[in-house]
Amino acid sequence: MTLDPDQLGRSKSELAEALRRLRLEAGLTGDRLSARCGISQSKISKIETGRVTPTLVDVELILRALGVSATLLQEVSALARIANTEWQDKRASWRRGVEKRQAELSSLEADATELRYFLPAMITGLLATPEYIRASLSHSPGDKTAVTSRKLERQAVLYDESKSFTFLLTEQAVNWALIPPPAMAVQIDFLASLSHLPAVRIGVIPYGTLLTRGPMNTFTMYDDRLVTMESFTGRMVFRDSRDVLHYREIFAMFEDRALFGDDARVRLREWAGRHRGKPRDL
């Protein structure tokens, strides 16, 4: 299924219109459809007016209650899956203000109890030193001082023992030279120190680890509720339960091959030592 960002914006209204049209063509009132599919009449009304985005399960229950063909069920279900996927354009995010994005992330972190981060390319802000954060913002517009402060404030959530954080980093992510070697060594030492926090698990995947899938992109899971996936031009937000489950399975595969605890800290010390042995201007 190809996801066109413009299509993502239209799909919610198209889905609402399609479900309402199919109900009317079937000659059913909202009450009768509710009785057939087990979804409340008020929720059906909100779905048909676009005030609520139905899950894929909701849509399949409605379509089966309407007795649509297998082909039509597949087509409308595909539209429902798109409706549960959101595209957030990076340039639009910049126009709104990078600090607003930090507030959104803080809200997601506050609402979730189990958070998983797959980091194949770089270290995320929650695990970053101030110097690393400042360097990562070099291509962002606006006041970088305020955003750096906000990112550092967000790190307090790692000390909340009512939550659990699992970070998976490839060797490339840990060692990507965003800052000079001495500062990179400090950054890697910081990762090792955070791995001792009760709520935090930091796993590393060294080069040479046998894996049958490549680390395609960065993604974050918030409970089993939603997944955000990063790209150069923006991010995708997946809310459909099937997409979330797929990402959880991918995460579990990489997690199974990662090193944790003392094994991870041995590698981190080794990698920090490499940076300490490099000239500053490399």
Side-chain angles (χ1 to χ4, degrees), residues 46-61:
K46 290 176 182 177
I47 288 172
E48 291 185 355
T49 55
R51 287 178 290 167
V52 168
T53 301
T55 67
L56 196 56
V57 172
D58 290 335
V59 171
E60 289 185 354
L61 287 172

Side-chain angles (χ1 to χ4, degrees), residues 86-104:
E86 178 184 349
W87 168 254
Q88 297 178 350
D89 182 84
K90 182 161 288 188
R91 284 168 295 188
S93 180
W94 285 345
R95 287 194 296 271
R96 290 189 304 113
V98 182
E99 285 189 73
K100 289 186 177 179
R101 174 59 183 164
Q102 293 304 306
E104 292 169 359

Side-chain angles (χ1 to χ4, degrees), residues 5 15 24 36 44 58 66-67 81 84 92 96 104 109 124 145 166 223-224 262 268 270:
L15 177 63
L24 293 174
R36 285 191 181 188
I44 287 174
D58 290 335
L66 293 174
R81 191 170 186 181
N84 279 276
R96 290 189 304 113
E104 292 169 359
E109 291 154 2
T124 187
T145 300
T166 302
D223 297 322
D224 288 330
D262 289 339
L268 290 171
E270 174 190 331

Side-chain angles (χ1 to χ4, degrees), residues 16 54 76 83 99 106 118 149 156 185 201 205 214 219 230 243 253 265:
V76 180
E99 285 189 73
S106 182
F118 181 63
S149 297
R201 296 174 69 234
I205 303 173
F219 65 86
E230 303 285 335
D243 289 323
M253 180 199 66
R265 287 187 281 270

Side-chain angles (χ1 to χ4, degrees), residues 10-35 37 39-55 58-59 61-63 65-66 76 79 83:
R10 297 192 305 268
S11 60
K12 293 183 181 181
S13 60
E14 290 178 355
L15 177 63
E17 293 170 7
L19 292 173
R20 181 175 183 276
R21 185 184 70 252
L22 290 170
R23 176 180 62 77
L24 293 174
E25 290 175 356
L28 294 179
T29 63
D31 287 338
R32 289 181 63 192
L33 176 58
S34 172
C37 68
I39 298 174
S40 70
Q41 192 277 329
S42 62
K43 183 174 181 179
I44 287 174
S45 175
K46 290 176 182 177
I47 288 172
E48 291 185 355
T49 55
R51 287 178 290 167
V52 168
T53 301
T55 67
D58 290 335
V59 171
L61 287 172
I62 291 171
L63 295 176
L66 293 174
V76 180
L79 185 61

Side-chain angles (χ1 to χ4, degrees), residues 98-147:
V98 182
E99 285 189 73
K100 289 186 177 179
R101 174 59 183 164
Q102 293 304 306
E104 292 169 359
L105 290 172
S106 182
S107 178
L108 286 171
E109 291 154 2
D111 291 342
T113 57
E114 189 175 5
L115 301 96
R116 305 175 187 86
Y117 300 78
F118 181 63
L119 306 166
M122 286 176 57
I123 296 168
T124 187
L126 283 180
L127 304 177
T129 62
E131 187 168 356
Y132 193 98
I133 290 173
R134 285 191 290 269
S136 72
L137 294 170
S138 61
H139 298 288
S140 301
D143 183 1
K144 297 176 180 58
T145 300
V147 179

